[in-house]
């Protein structure tokens, strides 16, 4: 048997001292031993940097990069520049992985001759500790990169998350994550997937996504709330022009990102609605262009069609109590 190929595991670290050991231990305890674990300390102000250094001193597979704070994308990009592996994967530092994850994933990747593999994940409530099954492929199979992109746009067993996937290093090439943005995975993952000659779906949940109270995914309405829509404003025309077979799926994602803005603001306080009145008007104008699509597409249920139509008409906030009566 030949030597195992090197897997680079990139872990951006920022002020996660209470969670970091759980994350790193879950990686180092994998039976797949040919690892380099790149801990990118993104200017942490707590003990995270010290904990990283302790792991590097104890295990030669761990490398630490200390840098000024630049955000998640900046840390991932620095990890990509430093990675030496034949394969790449990411783990966010407040998350962790299940035992025996990387070995089976690399085995399936080689068996099916794929360029990337996507498994399932658990959602873990940071307040209660409750662990529930999140997105997970329905079965283990080999599909084209284009088909996987379509499934990602629909959240059909997988989405744009960087962390529940394992990649051949060459897929990234010069691709990097956009700095200063949230939902950064959305603007990169589909490009990586479309570069793949084949993708493998694994019907096992292996990644534990910890929903930490106060994280960026639970923050109040801000300019960052519009980043998803900014990403889809670029994705949809690109797919329509270059990959027409998955244009309806990309259009679905575009519609969802626009209705997300309108729903957020319709349910926000009056001062927030006033502050983002321009963004609200623009999203409503853009959603109106897709009215015929969401009213007829099989990707939308009846309630979604009614909701989005009311958003277009500017009636959702008024009629919302009637729509959500028990």
């Amino acid at each position: 048997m030949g030597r195992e190929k090197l897997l680079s595991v990139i872990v951006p670290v920022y002020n996660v001292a209470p969670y970091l050991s759980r994350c790193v231990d879950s990686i180092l305890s994998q039976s797949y031993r040919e690892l380099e674990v790149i801990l990118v300390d993104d200017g942490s102000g707590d003990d995270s940097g010290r904990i990283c250094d302790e792991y590097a001193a104890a295990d030669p597979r761990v490398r630490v990069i200390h840098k000024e704070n630049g955000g998640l994308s900046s840390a991932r990009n620095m990890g990509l520049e430093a990675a030496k592996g034949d394969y790449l994967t990411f783990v966010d530092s407040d998350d962790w992985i299940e035992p025996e994850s990387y070995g089976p994933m690399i085995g399936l990747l080689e068996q099916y001759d794929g360029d990337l593999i996507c498994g399932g994940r658990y959602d873990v409530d940071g307040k209660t500790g409750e662990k529930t099954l999140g997105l997970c492929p329905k079965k283990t199979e080999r599909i084209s990169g284009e088909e996987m992109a379509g499934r990602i746009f629909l959240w059909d067993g997988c989405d744009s998350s960087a962390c529940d996937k394992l990649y051949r290093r060459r897929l990234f090439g010069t691709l990097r994550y956009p700095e200063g943005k949230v939902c950064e995975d959305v603007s990169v993952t589909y490009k990586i997937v479309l570069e793949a000659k084949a993708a493998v779906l694994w019907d096992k949940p292996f990644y534990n996504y910890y929903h930490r109270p106060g994280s960026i995914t639970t923050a109040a309405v801000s300019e960052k709330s519009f980043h998803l829509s900014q990403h889809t404003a670029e994705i949809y025309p690109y797919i329509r022009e270059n990959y027409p077979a998955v244009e309806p799926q990309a259009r679905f994602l575009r519609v969802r990102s626009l209705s997300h803005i309108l729903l957020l603001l319709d349910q926000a306080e009056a001062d927030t609605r006033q502050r983002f009145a321009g963004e609200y008007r623009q999203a409503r104008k853009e959603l109106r262009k897709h009215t015929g699509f969401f009213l007829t597409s099989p990707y939308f249920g009846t309630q979604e069609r009614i909701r989005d139509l009311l958003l277009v008409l500017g009636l959702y906030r008024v009629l919302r109590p009637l729509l959500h009566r028990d």
Side-chain angles (χ1 to χ4, degrees), residues 236-276:
Y236 175 57
Y238 176 80
I239 294 295
R240 183 180 58 201
E241 180 70 22
N242 297 287
Y243 297 91
V246 291
E247 182 269 342
Q249 294 93 318
R251 194 173 189 183
F252 171 87
L253 181 64
R254 177 64 177 151
V255 169
R256 288 276 62 81
S257 70
L258 292 167
S259 63
H260 173 70
I261 290 174
L262 298 176
L263 287 168
L264 272 180
L265 293 176
D266 268 341
Q267 298 174 65
E269 299 295 331
D271 58 340
T272 301
R273 295 199 303 273
Q274 183 175 1
R275 179 185 176 192
F276 295 110

Side-chain angles (χ1 to χ4, degrees), residues 21-308:
S21 291
R22 178 179 64 186
C23 172
V24 179
D25 287 345
S26 75
I27 298 168
L28 294 177
S29 63
Q30 296 290 306
S31 63
Y32 193 90
R33 306 301 294 171
E34 197 64 23
L35 302 174
E36 65 165 3
V37 183
I38 305 174
L39 304 178
V40 185
D41 173 26
D42 190 36
S44 296
D46 64 359
D47 284 337
S48 296
R50 177 184 59 78
I51 296 171
C52 289
D53 290 337
E54 289 175 352
Y55 273 102
D59 193 318
R61 297 176 297 168
V62 178
R63 299 163 56 196
V64 180
I65 299 172
H66 297 284
K67 62 184 287 295
E68 293 184 0
N69 180 251
L72 177 62
S73 290
S74 173
R76 281 185 182 167
N77 290 340
M78 187 161 285
L80 284 168
E81 295 297 333
K84 301 176 181 178
D86 303 284
Y87 306 106
L88 284 172
T89 192
F90 301 92
V91 182
D92 286 346
S93 50
D94 47 1
D95 301 334
W96 69 98
I97 60 172
E98 293 289 302
E100 294 301 318
S101 295
Y102 293 150
M105 293 178 82
I106 291 175
L108 286 169
L109 199 61
E110 297 292 344
Q111 176 186 339
Y112 285 98
D113 191 25
D115 285 332
L116 67 93
I117 181 168
C118 174
R121 64 179 183 246
Y122 293 109
D123 291 308
V124 184
D125 189 302
K127 291 182 179 179
T128 66
E130 182 182 4
K131 184 173 177 178
T132 57
L133 181 63
L135 279 178
C136 187
K138 297 178 180 67
K139 64 179 181 178
T140 298
E141 60 181 326
R142 182 184 194 266
I143 60 175
S144 69
E146 188 171 0
E147 183 176 348
M148 184 170 179
R151 296 193 190 189
I152 284 172
F153 296 146
L154 295 175
W155 297 304
D156 180 11
C158 55
D159 64 4
S160 295
S161 172
C163 293
D164 55 10
K165 301 171 182 65
L166 190 150
Y167 318 82
R168 293 193 190 272
R169 175 70 179 85
R170 63 176 181 79
L171 285 182
F172 276 86
T174 59
L175 275 177
R176 296 297 181 266
Y177 291 95
E179 299 185 15
K181 299 281 188 179
V182 298
C183 301
E184 64 288 327
D185 302 354
V186 173
S187 65
V188 174
T189 299
Y190 83 99
K191 295 177 181 177
I192 294 170
V193 167
L194 289 170
E195 284 292 316
K197 63 181 179 182
V200 180
L201 300 180
W202 187 36
D203 64 351
K204 302 295 183 185
F206 79 97
Y207 192 88
N208 291 283
Y209 177 27
Y210 185 67
H211 295 264
R212 183 156 48 110
S215 69
I216 57 174
T217 57
T218 59
V221 179
S222 69
E223 285 79 6
K224 292 181 179 180
S225 302
F226 308 103
H227 289 178
L228 173 60
S229 179
Q230 292 168 16
H231 294 320
T232 65
E234 298 178 1
I235 293 170
Y236 175 57
Y238 176 80
I239 294 295
R240 183 180 58 201
E241 180 70 22
N242 297 287
Y243 297 91
V246 291
E247 182 269 342
Q249 294 93 318
R251 194 173 189 183
F252 171 87
L253 181 64
R254 177 64 177 151
V255 169
R256 288 276 62 81
S257 70
L258 292 167
S259 63
H260 173 70
I261 290 174
L262 298 176
L263 287 168
L264 272 180
L265 293 176
D266 268 341
Q267 298 174 65
E269 299 295 331
D271 58 340
T272 301
R273 295 199 303 273
Q274 183 175 1
R275 179 185 176 192
F276 295 110
E279 288 84 350
Y280 183 91
R281 287 193 296 271
Q282 183 62 31
R284 187 176 159 198
K285 178 181 177 181
E286 289 295 317
L287 184 59
R288 186 179 297 118
K289 297 176 183 178
H290 300 282
T291 302
F293 173 71
F294 69 69
L295 287 178
T296 58
S297 169
Y299 299 138
F300 297 85
T302 301
Q303 289 186 336
E304 291 175 309
R305 292 183 180 126
I306 293 171
R307 182 196 64 196
D308 287 354

